[in-house]
């Protein structure tokens, strides 16, 4: 099942269509990864400083790094508050990164007031997408690592320690999702409730608004009755 492309807010979409770009973006992750369309967007506001002809419209990693290196220097010079995580995520085609970058550019270059994502936690994994799938269709741990760590990331940053940390973070995310699945669907995983959980459930079913002292002893579980007799 293909990952559904996130939708842009209407103000951002109208702003993007009004620019008259040379290429009408259809897949944001793919079309904005090399930075060429970002250069076209900036050239509409800064025609003297950004010329799209100086950027290559290719899909190789070298082209992406070259284009974005120039764009980063320009953005830093103009003091644009664009998080580097958004740029890195856009380069490596992370889910939602290009859309978030467009939101920030629209807010900075137009008069539209778009909710900023800078203060929110940056998460460009497919965690949200996985939670929308049926339990049986969700990715395994190995598939989650392959889906969330791009080959281009390892080529740009070949450090084994850094890539290991990324893999561990994804595995921890996967384990957290599995634990949530087990808590929400105990029957599916054949998880039997503990004695304490059975007691609480039994008492709640009998008299949810009464304490144990007012419950007839015949309604209590054997172990519970014995406990109170000992007391």
């Amino acid at each position: 099942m293909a990952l559904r492309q996130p939708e842009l807010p209407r103000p951002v979409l109208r702003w993007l269509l009004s620019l008259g770009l040379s290429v009408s973006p259809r897949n944001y992750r793919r079309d904005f990864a090399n930075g060429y369309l970002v250069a076209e967007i900036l050239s509409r506001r800064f025609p003297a400083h950004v010329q799209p002809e100086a950027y290559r419209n290719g899909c190789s990693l070298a082209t992406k790094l070259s284009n974005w290196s120039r764009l980063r220097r320009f953005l830093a010079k103009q003091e644009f508050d664009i998080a580097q995580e958004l740029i890195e995520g856009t380069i490596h085609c992370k889910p939602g990164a290009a859309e978030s970058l467009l939101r920030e550019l629209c807010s900075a270059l137009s008069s539209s007031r778009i909710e900023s994502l800078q203060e929110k936690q940056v998460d460009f994994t497919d965690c949200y997408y996985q939670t929308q799938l049926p339990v049986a269709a969700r990715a395994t741990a190995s598939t989650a690592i392959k889906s969330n760590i791009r080959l281009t990331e390892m080529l740009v940053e070949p450090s084994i320690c850094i890539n290991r940390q990324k893999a561990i973070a994804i595995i921890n995310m996967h384990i957290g999702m599995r634990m949530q699945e087990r808590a929400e669907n105990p029957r599916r995983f054949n998880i039997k409730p503990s004695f304490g959980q059975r007691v609480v459930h039994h008492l709640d079913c009998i008299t949810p608004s009464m304490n144990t002292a007012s419950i007839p002893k015949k309604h209590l579980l054997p172990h519970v009755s014995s406990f109170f007799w000992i007391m």
Side-chain angles (χ1 to χ4, degrees), residues 112-162:
S112 300
R113 293 185 178 181
I114 308 299
E115 181 184 1
S116 177
L117 302 176
Q118 299 284 7
E119 298 180 356
K120 297 182 179 180
Q121 183 179 3
V122 178
D123 180 18
F124 297 136
T125 65
D126 63 346
C127 180
Y128 175 76
Y129 169 70
Q130 292 294 330
T131 58
Q132 306 304 307
L133 295 176
V135 175
R138 295 178 183 176
T140 61
S142 60
T143 304
I145 294 175
K146 294 177 183 178
S147 301
N148 292 288
I149 299 182
R150 307 292 183 181
L151 176 61
T152 53
E153 289 184 84
M154 293 186 288
L155 293 176
V156 173
E157 183 54 74
S159 172
I160 296 177
C161 293
I162 294 178

